[in-house]
Amino acid sequence: YLSLLANCGALVVANSQATANELRSYTQEQGFPMPAVSVSGLPPGLTPQALEGQPQQQSEAWPRPYVLFVGTIEERKRHLDALRAWQMLHGESSGTVIPDLVCVGRWGWGCQAFQDAWDEAGREASGVYVLSEGVDDSRLADLYANALATIYPSRLEGWGLPVSESLAFGKLPITTDASSLPEAGA
């Protein structure tokens, strides 16, 4: 597909400079011509303002303090690393209350290692919770609005929408500097 795009395309619209750079590197490695590229960026998909005027329900975001992790549960987003970090925090807590880690997203490719480790840790006993059955925009907005912070340790993204959504809700996103995440957090 990229060969066809490189040989026929007049303009490629990339969602981030990181994606444009990856395309540039790939076409150079493959010896393909590089079409012109326009970088668009992406606005947050969900903001508090997007829900204005909609009926508001009583907030029941989560019964305890929590950190939110939004995204398909797959290897590249590093849910397993987040689970291990939460296990370390619980192991070193010495009486300190550790917030829950609430993961919102469907099961994706490469999630088996996370599922196995989560099962071994005792699922909710690990302090990590997974909402994989779908969360509507109103509930997701409530979760963002009431989180202590968000976490997004992904190693590769085209954009990283949960980072910009977190900021739109005034929440600190704890993230990596991989690929487009600095752009999403700008």
Side-chain angles (χ1 to χ4, degrees):
Y1 178 77
L2 288 176
S3 170
L4 176 66
L5 174 75
N7 286 295
C8 297
L11 175 68
V12 173
V13 178
N15 60 352
S16 68
Q17 188 61 53
T19 299
N21 293 344
E22 288 289 324
L23 177 61
R24 188 170 290 108
S25 294
Y26 181 78
T27 57
Q28 286 174 351
E29 288 170 13
Q30 299 300 314
F32 298 152
M34 178 64 184
V37 176
S38 175
V39 176
S40 65
L42 290 175
L46 184 64
T47 65
Q49 297 77 21
L51 299 172
E52 285 178 1
Q54 292 185 11
Q56 296 299 309
Q57 52 192 342
Q58 176 96 14
S59 174
E60 295 177 15
W62 200 253
R64 293 172 300 282
Y66 64 97
V67 172
L68 184 63
F69 188 165
V70 176
T72 305
I73 301 164
E74 57 186 46
E75 192 274 330
R76 75 180 167 93
K77 295 186 188 281
R78 299 172 63 183
H79 287 78
L80 181 58
D81 291 342
L83 171 65
R84 288 181 177 146
W86 246 251
Q87 287 177 305
M88 279 186 1
L89 288 172
H90 279 276
E92 298 173 359
S93 68
S94 61
T96 304
V97 176
I98 305 299
D100 292 340
L101 176 61
V102 177
C103 302
V104 176
R106 300 226 184 252
W107 297 108
W109 63 269
C111 67
Q112 193 61 54
F114 170 79
Q115 287 177 321
D116 292 345
W118 191 44
D119 285 340
E120 186 178 313
R123 292 199 173 217
E124 286 81 11
S126 67
V128 176
Y129 298 79
V130 176
L131 306 178
S132 63
E133 297 302 315
V135 171
D136 67 21
D137 284 351
S138 179
R139 175 82 195 280
L140 184 57
D142 200 29
L143 286 164
Y144 271 121
N146 291 287
L148 297 171
T150 65
I151 184 170
Y152 200 68
S154 183
R155 69 178 56 143
L156 180 66
E157 289 298 323
W159 181 251
L161 202 52
V163 171
S164 52
E165 288 177 344
S166 178
L167 291 168
F169 280 87
K171 301 302 173 174
L172 175 68
I174 302 163
T175 187
T176 65
D177 65 354
S179 64
S180 63
L181 295 176
E183 293 174 73

